[in-house]
Amino acid sequence: MKIKLQGMREQEAIEAKDLQIGDITIWNYGAKERVIEKEFSKTKKTVFIKLKPLGSDGVFTRRMKATRLVGIDLNFNRMCNNCAKLRNGCSGERKDYYTACVLKKEKMNFKKELLEQLNKEKLHLGCYNIDEDKLTEEQKKEILKELKDSNYDSHDIFFKDIVIEVFLVGDEIDLEQLTKQEYRERYL
């Protein structure tokens, strides 16, 4: 299903009742919020969704009709219909919504391993802007080791051609991959 939002082109959408914890919703003008909690009314006709805006510390609740279409960001949601969820293990749910893996099956192992490592530390994965095609297996292992050794604090991981920025915000880890040139332009 698709929905037209103000200030944006058509977006993928699902009914509010089908949102799950960890989904990233999209609203008018591109505002994005992560689903933190979901609760139904007694009649199941209304759903109360607790949301956390990306890049903000606030949390608030939206009350919606259960059948209301809500924009959803597939790039930041489950990798595919057999992915590791943000908080739980792989369940293979929602095959009707996610039919193609966003990050390709052969690249799932790194993100899945990262999610498992973060879950053990009671941390969650926020923004994940990593192009796994440009990482070697050794670099992937080094990133996982460096995260654990640094106790998941915010810092940068440098490689020959790229830099991985690690941001710890509360109990959420954000990862962003930059070329050395992009890093210089941003910080120097």
Side-chain angles (χ1 to χ4, degrees):
M1 290 183 268
K2 300 257 187 197
I3 188 172
K4 174 69 175 119
L5 298 171
Q6 290 180 356
M8 301 187 66
R9 59 181 177 213
E10 280 191 340
Q11 297 292 317
E12 289 294 324
I14 62 175
E15 290 184 350
K17 67 182 176 193
D18 294 326
L19 286 170
Q20 293 187 5
I21 292 172
D23 281 346
I24 303 294
T25 58
I26 302 177
W27 304 92
N28 290 335
Y29 304 105
K32 293 183 180 182
E33 299 162 352
R34 182 182 307 280
V35 176
I36 304 295
E37 202 174 289
K38 178 173 85 171
E39 188 177 319
F40 286 95
S41 66
K42 290 178 185 176
T43 63
K44 304 270 190 224
K45 291 181 180 180
T46 304
V47 64
F48 300 90
I49 307 287
K50 191 177 276 190
L51 298 161
K52 179 185 182 298
L54 296 187
S56 173
D57 291 335
V59 174
F60 64 95
T61 303
R62 285 188 191 249
R63 185 179 126 212
M64 296 178 264
K65 194 173 178 181
T67 56
R68 175 187 173 167
L69 287 180
V70 177
I72 188 162
D73 188 344
L74 295 177
N75 293 320
F76 283 100
N77 287 293
R78 287 158 192 76
M79 293 180 280
C80 71
N81 57 6
N82 290 311
C83 71
K85 290 185 181 179
L86 293 173
R87 297 182 194 282
N88 305 322
C90 185
S91 69
E93 292 178 24
R94 299 179 71 179
K95 290 181 179 154
D96 51 339
Y97 294 113
Y98 300 102
T99 56
C101 181
V102 175
L103 298 173
K104 308 255 188 278
K105 281 205 183 270
E106 63 271 10
K107 293 190 274 180
M108 272 185 9
N109 294 337
F110 176 70
K111 187 170 183 182
K112 185 175 181 180
E113 193 171 338
L114 176 62
L115 286 168
E116 288 172 3
Q117 185 172 315
L118 293 175
N119 282 338
K120 288 178 189 172
E121 302 294 328
K122 296 192 176 20
L123 295 170
H124 307 287
L125 184 60
C127 294
Y128 180 79
N129 188 8
I130 301 288
D131 183 358
E132 293 181 25
D133 284 336
K134 295 183 180 174
L135 294 177
T136 65
E137 289 304 313
E138 293 79 32
Q139 288 173 328
K140 292 174 188 177
K141 288 177 186 172
E142 181 64 28
I143 291 168
L144 293 172
K145 182 183 179 309
E146 180 74 26
L147 284 170
K148 193 169 192 171
D149 291 348
S150 70
N151 205 23
Y152 304 93
D153 282 336
S154 298
H155 67 290
D156 300 327
I157 303 171
F158 293 90
F159 294 104
K160 181 180 177 184
D161 297 326
I162 61 167
V163 178
I164 305 295
E165 290 187 316
V166 180
F167 300 101
L168 175 64
V169 182
D171 66 348
E172 202 169 88
I173 296 278
D174 295 337
L175 295 174
E176 183 172 5
Q177 179 176 327
L178 302 169
T179 65
K180 289 256 176 131
Q181 182 63 33
E182 290 170 331
Y183 185 83
R184 282 188 207 104
E185 290 171 2
R186 185 179 287 184
Y187 295 108
L188 303 176

